[in-house]
Amino acid sequence: MSSPLLEIRNLHICLPEGSERAFAVEEVDLDLAPNEILCIVGESGSGKSLTARAVMGLLPKPHVRIAEGSIRFGDENLADVADARMRQIRGSEISMIFQEPMTALNPVMTIGDQIDEVFRFHETMRRKERRERAIALLADVHLPDPGHIMRSYPHELSGGQRQRAMIAMALALDPKILIADEPTTALDVTTQAQILKLIKEMQAAHNTGVLFITHDFGVVADIADRVAVMQQGKLVEAGTADEVLNAPKHPYTQALIAAVPSLTPRPPRKQSTEPVLQVENLEKVFRSGGGFFGLGGSERVVKAAQDVNLELRRGETLGIVGESGSGKSTVARCIVRLVDADKGKILLNGTDLQPLNRAEMRPHRSSIQMMFQDPFASLNPRSKVGKIITQGPLLQGIAKDEAEAKARELLSIVGLDVRAYDRFPHEFSGGQRQRIGIARALALNPDVLVADEPVSALDVSIQAQILRLLDEIRERMTLSMIFITHDLRVAAQVCDRLAVMRYGEVVETGPTAEIFRDPQAEYTKDLLAAVPGKSWHPD
């Protein structure tokens, strides 16, 4: 057996004084071998990303720093090397792919200039040679028209293209170790599958050791050789992918795996045939470019919704699934009138909402409410939770005492302490903030709840809690729900029926179990085939 590329021993990373715990990472031992993919899994706060940043020398010193232990890379201990030496190692021998490429890439530099910067800092090459190498790298990661990509800025590329460009940059100098920190979390299922395949291809071609950080066990099942599980800064279990995924020993690992939604749809429930919401021939077009007053430059036209027809029955959950750009969120915003559709009808309990102006729409706001993807961005950071929840009822004319009593009752229903009423959003975790978002949406006793990717940013165990909570609330309040997601595992466990969207069109609708068992549209088949870990059955 070859000697490890990386040896981490007794690693302790301390936190600032007054933190919830003394160490973000404690007593961690890890090895990474050449041509191996080691997945580190765990929830937010488990210390997995800080472990990776310690290897890269990117800890936010002096408040968060290595207090004890070693990180051996060849003959050097990276915990002790000088900053100048760490800058030489970073990029040339150890590279990192970050979770969000839009924030990791420089927005005012073209992709070509950013790759060129890597070569200029570490290598002695002529400009022409650097350009040729950069184009070859972009071709290696399967980007279309590398010459055009070279001249493009990050905002001009899709999420998947940006991530491919970052992989090209990370592999520019043929590093021995590649660290990938949640590189597919924000990507659609098909793009995610492509990126995972690409990382495996590049790793095999360059004999690279990959430290892959994720909380998605489907990704682990697809890509890992070995798995290390972290909880609250400590390594609780490690072993081969087969051992950890199929015979977990630690209760925490068992709980994480148990929380992974199954790809087998749940048994169908008895359904009402009464429609509560009908969308008929909905169309929405976005236009951009064209210069001032439409003069100069070409106008870009995006048909976000094209002749969309949907029906939501009372007490039912209708899932809208598809990739980014499929139009699912646009349809949701048109339904709740946050965006005005160009054509079509939106019938809520028989009333067409589409032609109503703001004043006419106000009485109907209480009947249809929305939950957003990012619970922090959608909550006013300057308002206390009580005010956030009571604001809607007060605007609808409900008495203050009644609204406040209802808000406290809702906090209890969503599993939060009543003391949360007087606290601010930043004092809560992501899962707790999403519970506050649910309470706000339910404050007006809506008939329809539109949930736009409500669990995509949450850890698997918190995700399971929120989904269970939504299920309980739906039964308790006879709520009808439109559930928007790109995660087909979640859709299988939450949705009674599915509508599959692509490029603004509904390509297929039907009961969830039927679509999973016998998809008719080629696009639906592609989506199902791309689900990470589809051959692994945690149940």
Side-chain angles (χ1 to χ4, degrees):
M1 181 179 174
S2 58
S3 59
L5 279 174
L6 189 71
E7 293 179 89
I8 299 175
R9 293 291 179 268
N10 195 36
L11 183 65
H12 288 68
I13 300 175
C14 66
L15 287 170
E17 216 172 297
S19 300
E20 287 184 2
R21 61 182 196 251
F23 295 101
V25 173
E26 192 173 355
E27 299 176 352
V28 166
D29 293 337
L30 287 172
D31 288 338
L32 177 67
N35 201 27
E36 176 186 57
I37 298 180
L38 169 65
C39 280
I40 304 180
V41 298
E43 297 173 292
S44 297
S46 64
K48 56 188 190 298
S49 290
L50 278 182
T51 300
R53 288 177 179 271
V55 174
M56 288 290 291
L58 293 175
L59 291 176
K61 301 173 185 175
H63 303 295
V64 179
R65 57 184 171 77
I66 296 173
E68 190 179 339
S70 63
I71 303 172
R72 304 293 307 181
F73 175 62
D75 297 328
E76 297 178 281
N77 180 8
L78 301 183
D80 296 332
V81 298
D83 289 344
R85 172 58 182 149
M86 197 67 232
R87 283 195 294 271
Q88 291 176 336
I89 293 171
R90 198 184 296 132
S92 61
E93 297 185 72
I94 304 177
S95 283
M96 190 165 184
I97 308 168
F98 295 91
Q99 179 173 354
E100 179 42 68
M102 196 59 189
T103 55
L105 294 170
N106 190 327
V108 297
M109 290 177 67
T110 64
I111 297 299
D113 285 343
Q114 294 187 57
I115 298 176
D116 187 69
E117 192 174 58
V118 175
F119 290 130
R120 283 192 293 110
F121 185 85
H122 291 281
E123 300 281 347
T124 303
M125 289 185 197
R126 293 181 181 275
R127 181 174 179 82
K128 182 180 178 183
E129 186 183 355
R130 295 199 305 267
R131 176 179 168 78
E132 289 172 352
R133 284 276 298 275
I135 288 176
L137 276 169
L138 294 175
D140 285 345
V141 297
H142 310 310
L143 276 167
D145 193 356
H148 173 72
I149 298 289
M150 287 274 289
R151 299 187 297 274
S152 301
Y153 290 90
H155 73 272
E156 297 179 288
L157 306 181
S158 69
Q161 287 175 328
R162 286 194 292 266
Q163 199 60 284
R164 287 170 188 268
M166 189 178 288
I167 292 170
M169 224 169 291
L171 294 172
L173 299 173
D174 205 7
K176 296 175 183 175
I177 295 174
L178 179 65
I179 299 174
D181 187 3
E182 301 269 16
T184 60
T185 297
L187 301 179
D188 298 314
V189 63
T190 50
T191 307
Q192 184 181 60
Q194 293 165 9
I195 295 298
L196 292 177
K197 182 181 177 185
L198 176 62
I199 289 174
K200 290 196 81 167
E201 284 177 3
M202 295 293 100
Q203 175 245 352
H206 297 267
N207 202 34
T208 308
V210 178
L211 199 63
F212 196 104
I213 295 161
T214 184
H215 64 259
D216 188 332
F217 275 89
V219 169
V220 174
D222 273 355
I223 204 169
D225 296 311
R226 286 192 305 117
V227 182
V229 183
M230 292 185 70
Q231 180 189 21
Q232 295 185 340
K234 293 188 175 183
L235 188 66
V236 297
E237 184 165 357
T240 66
D242 181 60
E243 289 169 348
V244 175
L245 291 174
N246 299 315
K249 295 180 175 62
H250 195 277
Y252 177 69
T253 313
Q254 293 168 357
L256 284 181
I257 290 175
V260 177
S262 170
L263 261 177
T264 304
R266 67 180 183 182
R269 300 180 306 134
K270 188 176 180 181
Q271 291 296 302
S272 166
T273 57
E274 178 192 358
V276 63
L277 179 75
Q278 293 164 294
V279 177
E280 298 178 0
N281 310 116
L282 188 75
E283 293 189 9
K284 178 62 185 176
V285 176
F286 292 104
R287 302 175 189 276
S288 63
F292 287 108
F293 309 109
L295 301 174
S298 58
E299 183 182 49
R300 185 170 179 240
V301 177
V302 176
K303 295 180 179 178
Q306 303 181 63
D307 197 26
V308 172
N309 292 276
L310 300 169
E311 182 179 84
L312 177 67
R313 298 160 189 165
R314 198 164 297 279
E316 175 187 58
T317 297
L318 172 67
I320 304 180
V321 300
E323 298 174 291
S324 295
S326 63
K328 55 190 189 297
S329 290
T330 297
V331 169
R333 282 163 168 73
C334 287
I335 288 171
V336 297
R337 290 294 309 276
L338 290 178
V339 171
D340 290 329
D342 298 323
K343 292 182 182 177
K345 293 181 178 181
I346 303 163
L347 301 170
L348 178 64
N349 293 317
T351 301
D352 187 3
L353 305 182
Q354 175 59 14
L356 304 183
N357 61 33
R358 184 176 296 181
E360 293 168 335
M361 183 65 198
R362 184 170 291 173
H364 300 281
R365 289 283 180 201
S366 60
S367 298
I368 184 164
Q369 290 289 298
M370 190 163 186
M371 269 179 70
F372 296 90
Q373 179 173 357
D374 184 344
F376 194 68
S378 64
L379 299 176
N380 188 337
R382 296 183 179 182
S383 293
K384 291 182 179 180
V385 167
K387 183 178 179 181
I388 289 170
I389 298 173
T390 58
Q391 191 172 37
L394 290 173
L395 288 172
Q396 292 289 331
I398 294 173
K400 185 177 180 182
D401 289 349
E402 184 183 344
E404 289 178 351
K406 177 73 172 178
R408 287 186 166 87
E409 180 191 358
L410 283 168
L411 285 172
S412 175
I413 288 172
V414 300
L416 291 174
D417 192 293
V418 71
R419 288 173 295 184
Y421 188 92
D422 294 312
R423 294 166 63 188
F424 290 94
H426 74 268
E427 299 179 69
F428 297 89
S429 68
Q432 289 172 324
R433 286 196 291 264
Q434 198 57 288
R435 289 172 186 266
I436 293 166
I438 294 171
R440 177 179 62 180
L442 297 177
L444 290 166
N445 296 317
D447 293 321
V448 176
L449 178 63
V450 179
D452 187 4
E453 299 272 14
V455 296
S456 64
L458 302 178
D459 293 316
V460 65
S461 59
I462 307 299
Q463 183 184 81
Q465 294 170 17
I466 297 298
L467 294 178
R468 192 159 51 244
L469 175 63
L470 286 173
D471 222 23
E472 291 169 0
I473 288 170
R474 182 186 59 183
E475 295 294 335
R476 181 172 178 170
M477 305 179 79
T478 322
L479 195 66
S480 305
M481 195 184 312
I482 290 179
F483 194 97
I484 294 163
T485 183
H486 66 260
D487 188 333
L488 293 179
R489 288 183 180 274
V490 169
Q493 298 309 309
V494 172
C495 305
D496 300 303
R497 287 188 305 119
L498 289 180
V500 183
M501 289 192 68
R502 186 188 192 196
Y503 299 148
E505 297 181 328
V506 176
V507 299
E508 185 167 1
T509 60
T512 302
E514 286 185 17
I515 286 181
F516 271 70
R517 184 179 63 253
D518 187 23
Q520 299 301 303
E522 287 301 317
Y523 177 67
T524 310
K525 294 175 184 177
D526 291 341
L527 284 181
L528 288 167
V531 174
K534 61 184 178 295
S535 59
W536 172 62
H537 300 283
D539 51 346

